[in-house]
Amino acid sequence: MKKLYITGAVLLMSVFSFAQQKDPKAKAILDEVSAKFKTYKTVTANFGYQIANAAGKVLTTKNGTVQMKGNKYAINLGSNKIISDGVTIWNYDPASKEVTVSSASASEGTITPQKLFTDFYNKDFMYVMDKDGKVGARDVNKIIMQPIDKSKPFARVYVAVDKATKNIISTTVVEKTGNRYVYNVSNFKPNTAISDANFTFDKAKYPGVEVVDLR
């Protein structure tokens, strides 16, 4: 029993210790990623998306694409679409033939695609270095992040940064329930021409769609 108490105390101390840290090496890597991303006028990329439960069973696997331009973004995940022109967000679900419209300013607490590649970590997270490793054939720096706000539904975020390109190529979000959401980025292309029309939802292209305006 005494050993159990000691083990528990050590665990609590390690969690507390993590929560107080902003590892300078991790910050330097994240700052470099952010600075480089901000030089891009546009970005297009493919990504794989996987959900697994706490037991490690894969529940969902999908592939998607993302386009970014300034504070605008367009995500295609199967037939689902999330589009923002920086002012409005449209979330289209073809299964229900419904598009939900919300204000981008009302979603400032959410992690947008741009935030994942820039400086969202500065205010919202503590972070420490993990052991370097590989994602596929690429050598990566690994960083473990923990939200400062304990009311968040997720407990940890694991980020892998390509050492050669200084781009984030993998992100794993672990919920308090143990569920894992894994995003692997591929075919990352900066500074390609993208029309602004890609960042608005044209209702005329989706006959019969119901608009639910939450603004």
Side-chain angles (χ1 to χ4, degrees):
M1 183 63 71
K2 183 177 180 181
K3 184 178 180 181
L4 180 61
Y5 287 147
I6 293 172
T7 302
V10 170
L11 179 59
L12 285 171
M13 287 174 65
S14 68
V15 171
F16 180 80
S17 176
F18 180 95
Q20 306 308 306
Q21 288 191 53
K22 287 194 174 184
D23 185 332
K25 182 178 178 182
K27 177 172 171 53
I29 292 169
L30 292 169
D31 284 349
E32 193 170 10
V33 169
S34 177
K36 184 171 184 180
F37 185 85
K38 288 176 180 178
T39 67
Y40 302 146
K41 293 182 178 179
T42 67
V43 166
T44 62
N46 297 334
F47 64 92
Y49 172 66
Q50 185 183 90
I51 303 175
N53 64 19
K57 181 181 179 181
V58 176
L59 305 177
T60 301
T61 300
K62 292 183 179 181
N63 292 312
T65 62
V66 60
Q67 295 179 319
M68 292 173 268
K69 184 178 184 179
N71 62 348
K72 306 177 182 70
Y73 59 87
I75 302 170
N76 293 312
L77 190 60
S79 300
N80 292 75
K81 299 178 186 294
I82 305 173
I83 302 169
S84 177
D85 61 0
V87 176
T88 303
I89 300 173
W90 296 268
N91 196 324
Y92 171 63
D93 179 7
S96 61
K97 278 200 156 186
E98 183 178 281
V99 59
T100 302
V101 186
S102 57
S103 169
S105 61
S107 303
E108 287 179 354
T110 62
I111 299 177
T112 66
Q114 286 90 338
K115 286 183 181 179
L116 279 173
F117 292 94
T118 54
D119 51 8
F120 75 99
Y121 53 90
N122 270 333
K123 294 181 180 178
D124 299 331
F125 288 88
M126 296 294 178
Y127 38 79
V128 294
M129 292 298 301
D130 197 0
K131 291 182 179 179
D132 290 355
K134 285 183 175 289
V135 172
R138 291 179 282 187
D139 293 318
V140 297
N141 295 120
K142 293 184 176 181
I143 298 169
I144 308 172
M145 312 181 74
Q146 188 178 69
I148 295 171
D149 182 353
K150 301 305 179 187
S151 68
K152 297 289 186 184
F154 53 92
R156 292 283 175 94
V157 178
Y158 297 85
V159 174
V161 178
D162 188 320
K163 289 185 179 181
T165 65
K166 303 302 179 184
N167 291 323
I168 293 174
I169 60 172
S170 178
T171 302
T172 300
V173 179
V174 183
E175 289 187 330
K176 291 175 180 176
T177 59
N179 291 340
R180 287 177 172 256
Y181 299 80
V182 183
Y183 303 84
N184 289 311
V185 179
S186 62
N187 200 29
F188 187 100
K189 294 181 180 178
N191 301 324
T192 58
I194 304 176
S195 169
D196 285 340
N198 290 18
F199 304 106
T200 58
F201 185 84
D202 185 352
K203 183 183 175 183
K205 293 181 180 179
Y206 303 88
V209 67
E210 180 183 357
V211 178
V212 179
D213 199 328
L214 302 178
R215 291 173 294 180

